[in-house]
Every structure is written in structure tokens, then in C-alpha cells.
Amino acid sequence: TGAIGNQTKVYGADDPTLGGIGVTLTGLVNRTVTNWNGTNPAIDDSALTSTVTSLTRNAGETVAGGPYTITAGSFTTPSTNYSTPNFTGTPTLAITTKSLTGAIGNQTKVYGADDPTLGGIGVTLTGLVNRTVTNWNGTNPAIDDSALTSTVTGLTRNAGETVAGGPYTITAGSFTTPSTNYSAPSFTGTPTLAITTKSLTGAIG
């Protein structure tokens, strides 16, 4: 029999390459054989190996839907002394969250005003999946997450509230997670907040 361990991949990636999956063989001969000639040879096939040639698993391409049970597999025959190993066990394929980065553009405000409202700042996400996934079942689904969005939940910037002291570098940010298939986007880039002059009016008595 042949068995494989649990497998994993990142959301949106192809199923793991079959050639990189180890096979544990059960039933290889490692003993002294008693024969009629009295020579009684010692046979040790424990070093023989096999590779995976195909796998089948339950359908699904999301983090929350898994782990997905691997239901069948086929393997190469380790030598002509053996039949092809039978698949055994109930290994799974887990899909883990994909990393994202989030970036914002440069911001501006008028001197003396509050910093811009976080909800009004657009987020550019990098790392969203938009590709055809190759899976063991041969169904190869197309995933297009390019329409997913995120919003700013927090920003940190260099201190200062004057026109001349700026622009002020935005040093960190946090964002909402666009779906359960992704981890929270990490802040990237070096955007700034510029403070512009405030208009005044003058009157005389």
C-alpha cells in the first residue's frame, strides 16, 4: 500500500506538484527467506521508493471549505517484484490564507482641519487572485477576485500640524480583510499627508 501525508497550499495556488509529495510504502520485504536450496538469502527492499502519479480530492478552492479529503491516488511500482501500491489513508489538502498588501495615495488637508476621514481613503490591494488554478481533479477553476475591496481602519503619521513642517509621512496603516481567503493586508508604500494653507478674509471697520 502507499500513503501520503496531509498537504497544504496557499489560496489561489495550484495543487501541490505530485512529484514533490512523499510516499510511504507498506509491505516492502525486509527479511531472511528460507528456500529449498538452503541458501536462505536476506532480502532488504526497505530503500525502494515510489512516486505519486495522480491524486483525486474533494472539490473546493476556498480556505473555509477545507480541509479537503484526498480520496484516491495512484503511485509508481517500486520494482517488478511488486504490484502497483494501493492508495490508503485519509489525508487532506488544507488551503491557507493568501497574503496581501494595501497601499493608499498621498493625502491632503487644510491647515487646522481634522485629518481626512479614514472611510473616504481608497485602498489599492496587491496580491488578489485572478488566474486559472490547476488542481488534481482536472477541473481547473478560474478565480477572479479583482473586484474585492478593503477600507482603512487606522493610520499613523509623523507628528505635525503646520504647512511648513509637511508633508508628513504616513508610517503605518491597517485595513479590513477583503475575504476569509486572505490575511489582513499589510501596509506598503510611503504616502504622505500635506497640509495646505487656510483661506482668510479681512475686514476693516
Side-chain angles (χ1 to χ4, degrees), residues 100-123:
L100 289 176
T101 59
I104 64 171
N106 293 333
Q107 305 298 311
T108 186
K109 73 170 184 176
V110 173
Y111 172 70
D114 294 337
D115 283 5
T117 304
L118 296 178
I121 298 174
V123 180

Side-chain angles (χ1 to χ4, degrees), residues 101-105 121-126 152 175 185-191:
T101 59
I104 64 171
I121 298 174
V123 180
T124 300
L125 294 173
T126 300
V152 181
F175 311 96
S186 59
F187 177 80
T188 187
T190 53

Side-chain angles (χ1 to χ4, degrees), residues 96-197:
T96 60
T97 54
K98 188 177 190 303
S99 298
L100 289 176
T101 59
I104 64 171
N106 293 333
Q107 305 298 311
T108 186
K109 73 170 184 176
V110 173
Y111 172 70
D114 294 337
D115 283 5
T117 304
L118 296 178
I121 298 174
V123 180
T124 300
L125 294 173
T126 300
L128 292 171
V129 176
N130 184 7
R131 65 185 296 269
T132 297
V133 174
T134 299
N135 65 25
W136 298 325
N137 298 337
T139 54
N140 303 340
I143 299 175
D144 184 358
D145 287 344
S146 57
L148 291 178
T149 59
S150 177
T151 56
V152 181
T153 58
L155 291 174
T156 303
R157 67 172 177 89
N158 289 342
E161 291 296 334
T162 65
V163 173
Y168 300 94
T169 300
I170 300 169
T171 56
S174 56
F175 311 96
T176 58
T177 306
S179 90
T180 56
N181 293 317
Y182 296 92
S183 54
S186 59
F187 177 80
T188 187
T190 53
T192 59
L193 171 68
I195 299 178
T196 60
T197 55

Side-chain angles (χ1 to χ4, degrees), residues 71-100:
T71 56
S74 57
F75 311 97
T76 59
T77 306
S79 87
T80 55
N81 294 316
Y82 296 92
S83 55
T84 303
N86 295 318
F87 177 81
T88 187
T90 53
T92 60
L93 171 68
I95 299 178
T96 60
T97 54
K98 188 177 190 303
S99 298
L100 289 176

Side-chain angles (χ1 to χ4, degrees), residues 3-5 7-8 14-24 50-57 70 72-76 87 93 134-138:
I4 64 171
Q7 304 298 309
T8 186
D14 296 337
D15 284 6
T17 305
L18 297 177
I21 299 173
V23 179
T24 301
S50 176
T51 56
V52 181
T53 57
S54 69
L55 289 173
T56 304
R57 66 172 177 89
I70 300 169
S74 57
F75 311 97
T76 59
F87 177 81
L93 171 68
T134 299
N135 65 25
W136 298 325
N137 298 337

